């Protein structure tokens, strides 16, 4: 049975038993600051378990893409070396939100494994939490599992979402792979760390709410979260001993065999490298397809480490040119039937990966040079142990695995300080734990979740009106519920309905005013912390505000209109960027406010002036076409099938709002917009920059602000024209003539300076004196700079024939020094050593070659004293030389 067949059978089994099949969520978790990546099937249902989100079903099933790497799952080096470790895997799950519980969950698990999958019951064992007699009795009495096959564990069989909140006992199912894959210990049994007894299913029974003091309070509606690793069940069904030997991964390894010309199974080192490449290609492909891009922090840093580890192993397999992009594309094509949306992004994924591979080739070269330098130093010191901190630096900064470093230095008879390396690794883990900030997203305040649990909702009426009336259903002050708020106090107001748009989807929240019979509030911002709740943040300007009062809400119409113009402009901009740059362009973030718009998109190089001009011209052409902005609600799948653009990893409900502009733009969007594209008036790009590897940012303005910007530019042009005594149309040619004249004058000055230096050098040479039999010329040169000193020094050396030249000058409030030594003395005197004590006197440092050295300092007032001290410095240098 193939992996695809197992996945399909599992989902069909639970659909036939009343479960709604829910698509895999993005690998980027939303509204969960505790997670770096989606690492379990239950992640997307977390708010359902907490009661903060209601869905139209109480039973669900899914096949979830998961990544475990980084954070507490920081064991990358085990991937490829064991039979079960992965960065990417698929978790099959079935979930109950207050519907069925232990009896049904256990029955479903047992039926699927023993009936649908046909597993031998004699090879199945189960575990329960140490005091969960209920689950143990269900296994024995309902399913007939012998008591001796039911094991009780404490630490591994109790699950919690965090230090507080939903938690409960677990019950796992294990498959006996047979003694041939065991550890041969007579004590080997369920719970042993070897691969014989493999966990294939985990039932989590969420029945308690853990309080801050540790008390476990029974939940009114216990829930079920069960999960099973697809790769593990495929291992059992395909009768192989390693996840890597299942068709889910083995077909990727076969592809790597073809690319490398090597055979899997011939060499254990090559086998490890192929397994690493296969696993990491899966993680790379799906992380990028879901919107993660390689970078130096957060998710992007973990992705970069995964990719670079795969690239290192590709090099160990003999690949000299980039190859990971080919295996990543193969993964997306191979798994397209399960994840078609991600497969459609394969061209984009390939470009991101290849771009990163080219960067890594340079990094690898830098690391090799550092390693060669370290080896050379150790050889000189007659040492053969490469220090642990060096091994760690190569590992952490340049991506060298320890075994690669060992292989490189082994030929020179070196070994590695593995103990020192381990200490550095542990220190890094300690710092990572200390500074761990999860996904970087803000946590949703518990008070908002509480309001949602109480049934409070805010209906948004702002698509059709900028004002309205509604009662104040909740009042917050200092993050806590309050009944009243007085003049001057900061408050958060929630009404049953509101025309105010809450910040979401990149669009900033509305501003405006809320009035009651007794109070006036200036609303400075509006948030939407959870679906269904809109929070108005502001200050009480006068009177006393009370919860329960009827309120009149008025949105700042001018600010809303400016925001709407900018939001519609982002839709036009995205469509034009795809037309001009290519289909690889995807939105990677946005900000829409009354003042400006910011649009982040995937692209691999800075836009040329010509490309920027084309984008700006095409956006304005679309605006002049004045297409109507049309909105409608549609089924999410139907909208995407019709070609609507959706954001990477965005969480959409079953019904979505679609915004269209003619035939050229169709996006899923809940924001507010202009009535027609022509309302935007004018679109003007202010800046285009890079913000991450493969991500560019355009900042722009529209409407009145764009006109004001153009007018300011014209005023600047007029001022510039007046300065150069020209008109606007002739500024370019006039400036060109001025610059050409400036160059002519600079050449004349250089010629005159050279003539002056010749005369000056003859006078200065006559001032030379002898120090210990060597001519020394030390002088301060007025009206010169560092470049002038160099040119003069060459003439003075020629004039002296043999000797030392020490020159100084003051330029731009700083001191400059120069020491020049004629070639015949360069063996006895070193200009770099002479200048060092002189530079210290003027508050600086310097150095250089034996024949020429320069320095700068912050104390030009000490220049004369430094030059006077040159005699002593040169005399001391001559003594040391003799």
């Amino acid at each position: 049975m193939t992996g695809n067949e197992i996945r399909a059978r599992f989902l069909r089994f639970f659909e036939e038993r009343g479960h709604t099949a829910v698509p895999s969520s993005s690998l980027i978790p939303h509204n969960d600051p505790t997670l770096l990546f989606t690492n379990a099937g239950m992640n997307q249902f977390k708010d359902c378990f907490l009661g903060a989100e209601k869905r139209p079903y109480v039973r669900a099933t899914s096949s979830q893409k998961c990544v475990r790497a980084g954070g507490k799952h920081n064991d990358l080096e085990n991937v490829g070396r064991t039979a079960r470790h992965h960065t990417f895997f698929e978790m099959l799950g079935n979930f109950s939100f207050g519907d069925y519980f232990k009896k049904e969950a256990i029955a479903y698990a047992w039926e699927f494994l023993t009936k649908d999958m046909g597993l031998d019951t004699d090879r199945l064992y189960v575990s329960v939490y140490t005091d969960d007699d209920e689950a143990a009795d269900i296994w024995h009495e309902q399913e007939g599992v012998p008591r001796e096959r039911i094991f009780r564990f404490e630490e591994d069989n109790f699950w919690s979402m965090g230090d507080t909140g939903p938690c409960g006992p677990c019950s796992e199912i294990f498959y006996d792979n047979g003694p041939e894959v065991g550890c041969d210990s007579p004590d080997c049994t369920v719970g042993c760390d070897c691969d014989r007894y493999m966990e294939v299913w985990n039932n989590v029974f969420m029945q308690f709410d853990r309080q801050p003091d540790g008390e476990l309070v029974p939940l009114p509606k216990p829930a079920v979260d069960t999960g099973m690793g697809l790769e593990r069940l495929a291992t059992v069904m395909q009768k192989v001993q390693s996840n890597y030997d299942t068709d889910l991964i083995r077909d990727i390894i076969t592809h790597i065999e073809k690319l490398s010309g090597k055979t899997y199974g011939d060499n254990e080192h090559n086998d490890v490298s192929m397994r690493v490449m296969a696993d990491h290609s899966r993680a790379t492909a799906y992380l990028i397809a879901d919107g993660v891009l390689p970078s130096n922090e957060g998710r992007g840093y973990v992705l970069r480490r995964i990719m670079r580890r795969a690239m290192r192993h590709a090099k160990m397999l003999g690949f000299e040119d980039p190859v990971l992009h080919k295996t990543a594309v193969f993964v997306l094509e191979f798994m397209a039937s399960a994840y078609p949306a991600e497969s459609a992004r394969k061209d984009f994924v390939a470009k991101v990966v290849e771009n990163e591979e080219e960067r890594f080739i340079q990094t690898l070269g830098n690391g090799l040079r550092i390693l060669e330098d370290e080896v050379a130093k150790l050889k000189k010191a007659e040492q053969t142990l490469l220090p642990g901190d060096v091994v760690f630096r190569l590992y952490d900064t340049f991506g060298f695995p320890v075994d690669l470093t060992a292989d490189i230095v082994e030929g020179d008879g070196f070994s590695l300080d593995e103990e020192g390396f381990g200490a550095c690794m542990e220190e890094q883990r300690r710092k990572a734990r200390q500074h761990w900030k999860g996904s970087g997203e803000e946590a949703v305040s518990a008070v908002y979740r509480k309001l949602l649990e109480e049934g409070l909702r805010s209906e948004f009426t702002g698509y059709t009106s900028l004002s309205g009336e509604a009662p104040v259903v909740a009042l917050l002050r200092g993050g806590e519920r309050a009944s009243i708020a007085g003049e001057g106090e900061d408050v958060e107001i929630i009404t049953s309905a509101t025309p105010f748009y809450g910040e979401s989807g990149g669009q900033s929240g509305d501003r405006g005013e809320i009035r009651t019979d007794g109070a006036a509030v200036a609303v400075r911002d509006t948030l939407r912390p959870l679906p269904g709740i809109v929070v108005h943040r502001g200050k009480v300007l006068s009177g006393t505000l009370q919860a329960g009062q009827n309120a009149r809400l008025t949105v700042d119409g001018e600010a809303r209109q400016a925001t709407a113009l900018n939001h519609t402009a982002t839709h036009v901009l995205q469509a034009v960027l795809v037309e001009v740059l290519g289909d690889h362009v995807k939105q990677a973030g946005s900000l829409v406010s009354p003042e400006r718009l910011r649009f982040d998109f995937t692209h691999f190089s800075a836009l040329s002036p010509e490309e920027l001009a084309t984008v700006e011209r095409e956006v304005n052409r679309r605006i002049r076409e004045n297409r109507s902005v049309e909105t409608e609600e549609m089924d999410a799948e139907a909208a995407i099938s019709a070609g609507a653009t959706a954001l990477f990893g965005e969480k959409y409900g079953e019904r979505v709002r679609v915004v269209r502009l003619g035939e050229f733009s169709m996006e899923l969007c809940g924001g507010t917009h202009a009535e027609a594209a022509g309302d935007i008036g004018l679109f003007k790009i202010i800046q285009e920059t890079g913000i991450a590897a493969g991500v560019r940012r355009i900042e722009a303005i529209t409407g009145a602000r764009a006109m004001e910007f153009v007018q300011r530019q014209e005023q600047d042009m007029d001022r510039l024209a007046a300065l150069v005594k020209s008109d606007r149309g002739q500024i370019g040619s006039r400036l060109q003539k001025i610059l050409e004249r400036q160059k002519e004058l600079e050449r004349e000055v250089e010629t005159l300076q050279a003539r002056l230096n010749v005369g000056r050098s003859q006078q200065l040479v006559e001032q030379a004196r002898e120090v210990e039999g060597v001519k020394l010329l030390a002088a301060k040169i007025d009206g010169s700079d560092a470049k002038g000193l160099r040119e003069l020094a060459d003439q003075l050396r020629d004039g002296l024939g043999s000797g030392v030249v020490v020159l100084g000058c003051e330029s731009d409030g700083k001191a400059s020094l120069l020491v020049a030594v004629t070639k015949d003395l360069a063996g006895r005197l070193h200009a770099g050593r002479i200048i060092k004590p002189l530079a210290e006197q003027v508050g600086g440092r310097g150095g250089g070659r034996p024949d020429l050295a320069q320095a700068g300092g912050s104390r030009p007032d000490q220049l004369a004293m430094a030059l006077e001290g040159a005699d002593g410095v040169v005399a001391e240098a001559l003594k040391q030389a003799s």
Side-chain angles (χ1 to χ4, degrees):
M1 190 180 294
T2 67
N4 285 339
E5 289 170 341
I6 295 170
R7 186 193 301 109
R9 276 205 186 192
F10 179 89
L11 295 174
R12 186 170 62 248
F13 175 89
F14 282 100
E15 281 186 281
E16 290 170 351
R17 286 153 183 80
H19 293 65
T20 298
V22 181
S24 171
S25 66
S26 168
L27 286 169
I28 304 175
H30 288 274
N31 297 323
D32 191 342
T34 65
L35 292 177
L36 194 64
F37 301 116
T38 298
N39 62 17
M42 64 77 57
N43 290 164
Q44 67 166 309
F45 302 113
K46 184 174 179 178
D47 285 346
C48 298
F49 290 123
L50 288 166
E53 181 183 355
K54 303 296 181 185
R55 297 197 183 185
Y57 47 81
V58 291
R59 298 182 176 201
T61 184
S62 70
S63 177
Q64 175 65 51
K65 308 184 306 258
C66 297
V67 164
R68 290 184 180 175
K72 66 180 181 180
H73 303 292
N74 198 20
D75 51 359
L76 274 181
E77 295 303 321
N78 286 325
V79 175
R81 302 186 182 281
T82 71
R84 311 279 177 253
H85 272 95
H86 299 290
T87 52
F88 176 92
F89 63 97
E90 294 179 78
M91 185 175 285
L92 305 174
N94 60 286
F95 312 92
S96 166
F97 314 120
D99 185 24
Y100 61 80
F101 202 45
K102 293 182 183 179
K103 290 179 64 175
E104 295 86 348
I106 288 172
Y108 289 149
W110 197 250
E111 180 184 359
F112 180 75
L113 290 177
T114 61
K115 301 286 175 51
D116 272 51
M117 295 292 102
L119 297 187
D120 183 355
T121 57
D122 289 340
R123 302 185 76 163
L124 294 176
Y125 296 76
V126 299
S127 69
V128 298
Y129 183 58
T130 182
D131 61 1
D132 191 356
D133 295 332
E134 179 187 6
D137 290 342
I138 292 171
W139 278 116
H140 178 64
E141 295 169 9
Q142 177 179 288
E143 306 303 335
V145 177
R147 295 281 184 188
E148 62 271 19
R149 289 179 177 267
I150 302 172
F151 292 76
R152 294 176 183 259
F153 299 119
E154 185 169 4
E155 185 176 341
D156 291 340
N157 279 72
F158 195 91
W159 180 91
S160 59
M161 199 173 285
D163 294 334
T164 61
C167 58
C170 304
S171 180
E172 299 171 321
I173 304 174
F174 296 84
Y175 182 80
D176 181 2
N177 283 306
E180 62 273 14
V181 296
C183 58
D184 294 328
S185 169
D187 300 324
C188 183
T189 186
V190 173
C192 182
D193 288 336
C194 73
D195 285 330
R196 175 170 178 175
Y197 298 95
M198 179 175 67
E199 175 204 331
V200 292
W201 196 297
N202 186 17
N203 299 273
V204 178
F205 306 124
M206 283 187 270
Q207 62 187 101
F208 302 111
D209 185 5
R210 192 195 300 272
Q211 303 300 302
D213 61 2
E215 181 186 0
L216 298 178
V217 177
L219 288 170
K221 288 187 176 181
V224 174
D225 157 28
T226 78
M228 173 176 62
L230 174 61
E231 291 81 3
R232 291 193 176 200
L233 186 58
T235 299
V236 174
M237 298 306 298
Q238 296 172 16
K239 296 180 170 54
V240 293
Q241 296 180 359
S242 166
N243 292 359
Y244 291 92
D245 292 329
T246 68
D247 70 310
L248 291 165
I249 305 178
R250 186 63 177 85
D251 284 9
I252 305 171
I253 292 175
T254 300
H255 182 67
I256 296 168
E257 286 182 286
K258 292 176 183 175
L259 292 172
S260 66
K262 293 181 167 57
T263 302
Y264 187 68
D266 281 359
N267 178 292
E268 178 57 23
H269 291 294
N270 289 346
D271 292 352
V272 169
S273 293
M274 288 186 191
R275 289 195 291 267
V276 168
M277 283 190 66
D279 174 273
H280 290 6
S281 294
R282 301 206 310 166
T284 295
Y286 284 103
L287 283 171
I288 295 173
D290 276 353
V292 182
L293 293 170
S295 67
N296 288 328
E297 58 185 19
R299 297 186 181 105
Y301 175 68
V302 177
L303 170 61
R304 176 165 281 168
R305 289 200 59 196
I306 290 171
M307 294 173 71
R308 290 190 168 183
R309 184 166 187 257
M311 294 169 196
R312 293 189 321 247
H313 281 275
K315 191 168 184 66
M316 292 163 73
L317 281 170
F319 290 105
E320 293 297 332
D321 297 323
V323 69
L324 185 62
H325 65 285
K326 296 178 182 178
T327 58
V329 167
F330 177 82
V331 165
L332 292 172
E333 293 174 340
F334 172 61
M335 298 175 69
S337 61
Y339 304 106
E342 291 83 348
S343 177
R345 301 181 187 131
K346 64 183 180 183
D347 291 342
F348 168 69
V349 171
K351 288 182 179 179
V352 173
V353 178
E354 189 170 16
N355 189 54
E356 183 69 12
E357 286 184 289
E358 289 169 352
R359 289 165 58 99
F360 180 62
I361 288 171
Q362 296 177 340
T363 304
L364 198 63
N366 293 337
L368 284 170
R369 282 192 291 274
I370 285 175
L371 182 55
E372 288 167 0
D373 290 345
E374 290 293 338
V375 168
K377 288 179 188 176
L378 291 171
K379 283 181 176 178
K380 193 172 182 180
E382 298 184 350
Q383 296 177 6
T384 58
L385 184 67
L386 192 66
D389 61 331
V390 175
V391 179
F392 176 76
R393 183 185 172 203
L394 289 166
Y395 167 82
D396 191 54
T397 305
F398 298 100
F400 280 47
V402 177
D403 50 6
L404 176 60
T405 302
D407 288 344
I408 293 171
V409 301
E410 186 179 19
D412 291 317
F414 283 83
S415 58
L416 308 186
D417 174 15
E418 295 188 13
E419 186 176 334
F421 170 79
C424 291
M425 280 290 290
E426 183 54 40
E427 176 63 13
Q428 186 204 47
R429 292 191 186 103
R430 186 190 67 77
K431 290 179 179 177
R433 288 191 296 268
Q434 184 177 343
H435 298 293
W436 168 242
K437 295 180 181 179
S439 66
E441 295 182 359
E442 290 186 10
V444 176
S445 174
V447 69
Y448 302 140
R449 294 190 184 279
K450 185 69 174 174
L451 293 174
L452 203 64
E453 290 172 12
E454 292 176 11
L456 295 185
R457 296 292 186 276
S458 304
E459 179 190 358
F460 177 60
T461 61
Y463 289 133
T464 57
S465 176
L466 294 181
S467 62
E469 293 192 6
V472 177
V473 295
L475 189 62
L476 305 177
R477 198 177 58 213
E480 296 183 357
R481 294 287 289 271
S483 57
I484 63 171
E487 184 175 325
E489 290 189 304
D490 290 324
V491 291
E492 293 184 343
I493 303 165
I494 299 163
T495 54
S496 61
T498 178
F500 283 74
Y501 184 86
E503 180 183 355
S504 58
Q507 179 174 327
S508 62
D510 280 332
R511 312 160 189 170
E513 183 182 69
I514 294 178
R515 285 184 175 272
T516 66
D517 289 340
V521 179
V523 178
R524 63 177 180 271
D525 193 14
T526 308
L527 310 177
R528 191 167 73 98
L530 290 167
I533 287 189
V534 177
V535 180
H536 310 85
R537 283 184 173 172
K539 183 185 287 289
V540 181
L541 297 180
S542 62
T544 301
L545 182 68
Q546 296 184 33
Q549 286 183 314
N550 199 53
R552 293 180 295 279
L553 302 97
T554 306
V555 174
D556 181 336
E558 186 178 339
R560 163 71 80 83
Q561 176 66 2
T563 302
L565 298 183
N566 284 334
H567 201 155
T568 303
T570 63
H571 285 219
V572 180
L573 173 61
Q574 178 166 13
V576 168
L577 285 169
V578 171
E579 288 178 357
V580 174
L581 302 178
D583 291 340
H584 64 278
V585 169
K586 305 291 181 186
Q587 182 175 339
S590 68
L591 170 68
V592 180
S593 71
E595 293 75 28
R596 65 190 173 107
L597 68 89
R598 188 181 75 205
F599 188 77
D600 301 338
F601 59 99
T602 52
H603 189 58
F604 304 98
S605 60
L607 272 66
S608 67
E610 293 76 17
E611 287 174 324
L612 276 175
T614 300
V615 169
E616 188 173 85
R617 185 173 59 249
E618 285 301 301
V619 170
N620 281 296
R621 183 177 71 81
R622 293 294 192 182
I623 289 170
R624 290 193 302 274
E625 288 177 353
N626 198 25
R627 303 286 186 182
S628 295
V629 178
E630 299 174 353
T631 63
E632 67 173 314
E633 279 204 3
M634 294 179 65
D635 177 77
E637 289 188 16
I640 293 173
S641 298
T645 300
L647 288 182
F648 272 167
E650 185 66 34
K651 186 178 179 182
Y652 295 103
E654 292 185 6
R655 299 287 293 175
V656 293
R657 184 168 180 263
V658 179
V659 178
R660 299 175 188 260
L661 284 94
E663 298 301 319
F664 70 90
S665 174
M666 180 180 178
E667 294 191 32
L668 306 188
C669 179
T672 61
H673 287 270
E675 292 184 3
D679 296 346
I680 297 168
L682 178 65
F683 172 88
K684 184 66 185 167
I685 294 175
I686 303 301
Q687 188 177 25
E688 189 271 344
T689 55
I691 60 169
V695 181
R696 307 298 300 178
R697 169 174 291 171
I698 282 179
E699 296 186 57
I701 50 180
T702 65
R705 283 181 173 80
M707 180 58 70
E708 291 166 5
F709 179 82
V710 170
Q711 288 175 335
R712 285 196 302 272
Q713 283 190 319
E714 289 181 337
Q715 290 166 3
D716 290 341
M717 291 284 283
D718 288 338
R719 282 191 290 269
L720 183 58
L723 285 172
V724 298
K725 295 181 174 59
S726 175
D727 55 41
R728 285 191 202 169
Q730 302 297 319
I731 288 178
S733 58
R734 179 67 178 144
L735 278 173
Q736 182 67 34
K737 289 179 181 178
I738 291 173
L739 291 172
E740 288 173 358
R741 179 58 180 154
Q742 181 182 336
K743 287 181 181 177
E744 288 177 13
L745 293 173
E746 286 174 352
R747 284 193 291 269
E748 288 181 22
V749 169
E750 287 178 0
T751 301
L752 292 171
Q753 186 70 51
R755 291 175 184 172
L756 183 63
N757 284 343
V758 169
R760 180 187 286 177
S761 65
Q762 290 173 350
Q763 294 175 352
L764 290 172
V765 166
E766 294 172 2
Q767 299 175 19
R769 53 190 180 273
E770 284 198 5
V771 175
E772 302 292 332
V774 171
K775 290 179 184 177
L776 168 64
L777 172 57
K780 182 181 178 185
I781 310 299
D782 294 325
S784 186
D785 56 15
K787 181 182 177 183
L789 292 185
R790 287 195 300 273
E791 293 172 351
L792 182 58
D794 289 339
Q795 295 175 10
L796 291 172
R797 275 195 296 197
D798 293 341
L800 283 178
S802 175
V804 178
V805 176
V806 181
L807 301 178
C809 72
E810 180 181 348
S811 177
D812 297 327
K814 293 187 178 180
S816 292
L817 283 168
L818 178 144
V819 174
V821 177
T822 55
K823 289 183 179 179
D824 63 309
L825 296 174
R828 297 172 60 195
L829 298 173
H830 192 292
R833 297 193 186 105
I834 293 172
I835 205 169
K836 188 175 179 182
L838 303 178
E840 289 174 356
Q841 280 194 270
V842 296
R845 293 185 301 173
R849 305 189 307 267
D851 62 327
L852 183 68
Q854 286 185 274
S858 59
R859 298 201 299 267
D861 57 306
Q862 299 295 312
L863 200 54
M865 188 177 293
L867 292 169
E868 288 175 10
D871 295 55
V873 173
V874 172
E876 181 63 27
L878 288 167
K879 284 181 184 178
Q880 291 179 2
S882 60

